[in-house]
């Protein structure tokens, strides 16, 4: 059952989304959702190399400029990030605005800044589901050498950290 934690990132999420220690996050994805023009949830996946927590209230994301996700954010600005890892499920509801389109140094990307509105943690209720716990998250193969993927992630994260 999800319960609200407030409008700031708890330490675990601030650290996880801090853009540091990217090598340990290779192969892990974050599910994000926007709302399309017909009102349907629109899921997409991003990597830890495309999101950075600027502070406990602000996130920056690098998204493909022509994607449905970017179009949805330009239209209504609603974005939820779902961080699913072993024994952990957090949902971050945000309001996002395009900040750079295209993102400086990345012609195919748009940079969005998202303000945290609500953070929820999802945990099984022990009285209803004793011992139930999340055993995995969303994983992927980067499809290229890890060193190359890390260089690209680091360049993107560095671009997201720069002030606009």
């Amino acid at each position: 059952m999800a319960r609200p934690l407030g409008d700031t990132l708890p330490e675990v999420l601030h650290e996880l989304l801090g853009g540091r220690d990217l090598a340990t996050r290779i192969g892990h994805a974050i599910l994000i959702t926007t709302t399309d023009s017909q009102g349907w949830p629109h899921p997409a996946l991003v990597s830890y190399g495309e999101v950075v927590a600027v502070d406990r209230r602000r996130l920056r994301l690098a998204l493909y400029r022509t994607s449905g996700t970017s179009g949805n954010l330009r239209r209504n600005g609603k974005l939820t990030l779902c961080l699913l890892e072993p024994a952990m499920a957090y949902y971050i509801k945000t309001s996002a605005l395009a900040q750079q389109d295209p993102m400086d140094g990345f012609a195919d990307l748009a940079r969005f800044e998202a303000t945290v509105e609500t953070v929820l943690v999802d945990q099984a209720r022990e009285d209803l589901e004793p011992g139930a716990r999340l055993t995995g998250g969303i994983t992927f193969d980067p499809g290229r050498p890890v060193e190359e993927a890390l260089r690209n992630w680091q360049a993107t994260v560095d671009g997201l950290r720069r002030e606009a």
Side-chain angles (χ1 to χ4, degrees):
M1 184 167 95
R3 66 181 172 83
L5 297 178
D7 64 357
T8 59
L9 297 175
E11 181 61 31
V12 65
L13 294 183
H14 188 249
E15 181 63 30
L16 196 60
L17 296 171
R20 293 174 292 282
D21 203 18
L22 293 174
T24 64
R25 309 213 198 309
I26 280 283
H28 293 261
I30 300 168
L31 174 67
I32 63 173
T33 61
T34 56
T35 305
D36 70 19
S37 60
Q38 288 78 45
W40 289 96
H42 175 80
L45 297 174
V46 295
S47 72
Y48 283 91
E50 297 166 304
V51 181
V52 68
V54 178
D55 54 40
R56 291 185 186 269
R57 289 289 323 275
R58 293 180 301 147
L59 302 169
R60 290 188 186 139
L61 296 93
L63 303 172
Y64 285 105
R65 293 179 64 216
T66 60
S67 69
T69 299
S70 290
N72 293 339
L73 287 178
R74 286 184 197 100
R75 193 184 67 264
N76 74 11
K78 300 300 182 194
L79 171 71
T80 299
L81 295 87
C82 303
L83 289 94
L84 308 168
E85 297 286 346
M88 181 185 98
Y90 287 94
Y91 315 127
I92 307 167
K93 295 183 179 187
T94 72
S95 297
L97 294 170
Q99 197 176 50
Q100 294 175 350
D101 192 358
M103 183 172 153
D104 289 345
F106 300 88
D108 293 335
L109 300 177
R111 174 172 141 169
F112 291 85
E113 184 155 305
T115 302
V116 175
E117 301 290 338
T118 304
V119 179
L120 300 112
V121 61
D122 201 346
Q123 298 171 316
R125 283 186 42 190
E126 281 298 316
D127 59 329
L128 298 177
E129 305 169 271
R133 65 183 180 83
L134 192 59
T135 59
I138 302 169
T139 60
F140 68 98
D141 179 339
R144 57 185 163 185
V146 170
E147 297 79 17
E148 180 184 339
L150 282 173
R151 277 193 307 274
N152 290 344
W153 279 21
Q154 191 63 60
T156 303
V157 165
D158 290 346
L160 289 170
R161 281 192 178 125
R162 285 191 290 274
E163 291 303 317

